[in-house]
Amino acid sequence: MVFRSIFDAPEIRSEFEKAGVSLQFIPVIWKHVVKNPTCEWDDIPSLPSAAYSVLRSKFRPLTSIVDSVIDSSDGVTTKLLIKLQNGAFVEAVVMRYDSRLGRYDGKTRPGGPRSTLCISSQVGCKMGCKFCATGSMGFKSNLSCGEIVEQLVHASRLSDIRNIVFMGMGEPLNNYTMLVEAVRVMLAPPFQISPKKMTVSTVGIIHAINKLHKDLPGLNLAVSLHAPVQEIRCQIMPAARAFPLEKLMASLQAYQKESQQKILIEYIMLNGVNDEEQHAHELAKLLETFEVVSDLTGE
């Protein structure tokens, strides 16, 4: 029998409702599991008897395990290889930094140590981007809500996670329903991560962008643009053929007008492909009416 993760929010809500168990017990259970991921259900005190019955028959505290942990030589980055119950693997990466480094307006920056978690949303990816290792795998499967959230549970045992970026394996907006459910779990107790501290990156799935702000208001949007014209974009991102640049930019304009938030534009500069002066001028023209934050990477 395949058990579900306790963090599969739609399933635990449905099963509790059928059993007549109040949904107010769900955050209590989540809090206990986050603190005690190897617990047994009987370890959680003061639940209704019907709740224990549902939990024992259908759910596990965690359905994934950390197969390996690899630290970078400078200790700033930690990669978790996570094995799912079906035997597949996904990666999550903890990135640490100190927001006090550097100066702003002549003054020391406020803040302190921070940890950001890069989360996967799929096993493999169907987008086929030429610069992405996951793209060469092809698409294997979507992650469930629980499998997405469990990455945060595992990472939280290594570091105090303050920020979430959906920039790991997979195209998050191609697993839209589970993405939305997982983010809503992370917004709620016991995690209570602010939507301003979460970013979803996409190659530009237009129909999903069009409803993202309504479903997840306040969330940050990042777009893997990587080229200022459709022809080059299709060359390095084959999936861009389904999302013409003109229509994508119109969608982003509508998103920004509705959300009143800046959009993060991601751009990998590939030698001799999209890094000429002409491309810089075209990019500036393309984005001149937007409020954006840029993330440029060179290869």
Side-chain angles (χ1 to χ4, degrees):
M1 178 178 177
V2 176
F3 287 86
R4 302 303 300 254
S5 166
I6 192 58
F7 295 101
D8 276 318
E11 285 72 19
I12 186 62
R13 286 196 298 263
S14 174
E15 293 297 335
F16 270 19
E17 286 174 346
K18 286 190 289 186
V21 178
S22 171
L23 301 187
Q24 70 181 6
F25 290 106
I26 295 176
V28 175
I29 297 168
W30 286 346
K31 182 178 181 179
H32 188 94
V33 172
V34 169
K35 291 184 176 181
N36 309 277
T38 60
C39 69
E40 299 292 336
W41 294 131
D42 289 341
D43 298 336
I44 306 177
S46 305
L47 297 180
S49 58
Y52 290 111
S53 178
V54 169
L55 293 174
R56 293 189 196 104
S57 63
K58 296 182 182 293
F59 294 92
R60 288 286 180 263
L62 297 176
T63 59
S64 62
I65 61 171
V66 177
D67 186 77
S68 64
V69 176
I70 303 174
D71 293 313
S72 60
S73 57
D74 58 9
V76 171
T77 302
T78 301
K79 181 171 73 174
L80 291 76
L81 184 64
I82 297 171
K83 187 176 182 180
L84 310 179
Q85 66 174 333
N86 66 1
F89 290 88
V90 294
E91 293 179 353
V93 180
V94 178
M95 299 168 288
R96 304 173 185 86
Y97 63 98
D98 192 331
S99 62
R100 296 168 297 188
L101 297 177
R103 300 180 71 82
Y104 179 76
D105 196 23
K107 301 176 183 178
T108 302
R109 292 177 181 270
R114 297 284 187 272
S115 291
T116 295
L117 177 64
C118 180
I119 283 182
S120 294
S121 55
Q122 297 177 311
V123 180
C125 183
K126 64 175 67 172
M127 297 296 99
C129 299
K130 303 298 184 183
F131 50 82
C132 178
T134 305
S136 65
M137 293 175 55
F139 174 72
K140 306 299 183 183
S141 63
N142 284 323
L143 298 187
S144 71
C145 171
E147 289 169 334
I148 294 172
V149 176
E150 284 184 21
Q151 295 172 65
L152 174 56
V153 177
H154 291 307
S156 294
R157 298 186 66 76
L158 302 179
S159 191
D160 181 18
I161 304 299
R162 298 286 298 273
N163 303 278
I164 301 288
V165 292
F166 286 86
M167 299 181 181
M169 296 170 65
E171 163 54 58
L173 298 191
N174 271 347
N175 190 14
Y176 188 84
T177 300
M178 290 300 101
L179 168 73
V180 171
E181 290 289 353
V183 169
R184 288 174 176 167
V185 172
M186 295 174 187
L187 293 172
F191 303 106
Q192 292 185 296
I193 297 176
S194 166
K196 295 180 180 180
K197 300 294 185 180
M198 287 193 258
T199 300
V200 172
S201 176
T202 177
V203 301
I205 312 299
I206 295 173
H207 63 274
I209 292 173
N210 291 341
K211 56 184 178 179
L212 184 63
H213 177 67
K214 180 180 178 181
D215 289 333
L216 296 172
L219 198 74
N220 296 302
L221 176 64
V223 178
S224 295
L225 191 62
H226 306 311
V229 295
Q230 179 71 0
E231 181 181 359
I232 299 176
R233 202 161 185 264
C234 290
Q235 178 185 341
I236 60 179
M237 304 170 67
R241 295 186 181 92
F243 309 104
L245 190 56
E246 182 178 350
K247 291 184 179 180
L248 172 59
M249 302 313 289
S251 174
L252 296 179
Q253 283 279 16
Y255 178 89
Q256 188 156 81
K257 182 178 180 180
E258 183 180 13
S259 68
Q260 295 296 303
Q261 292 175 249
K262 292 182 178 180
I263 297 172
L264 174 63
I265 299 296
E266 300 165 301
Y267 196 105
I268 292 180
M269 292 185 289
L270 302 170
N271 187 29
V273 177
N274 64 351
D275 64 342
E276 298 176 5
E277 183 178 348
Q278 161 194 348
H279 300 135
H281 290 299
E282 290 171 336
L283 181 61
K285 182 68 175 176
L286 185 68
L287 299 176
E288 64 181 354
T289 61
F290 286 86
E291 289 285 331
V292 300
V293 180
S294 61
D295 181 10
L296 298 177
T297 306
E299 282 198 358

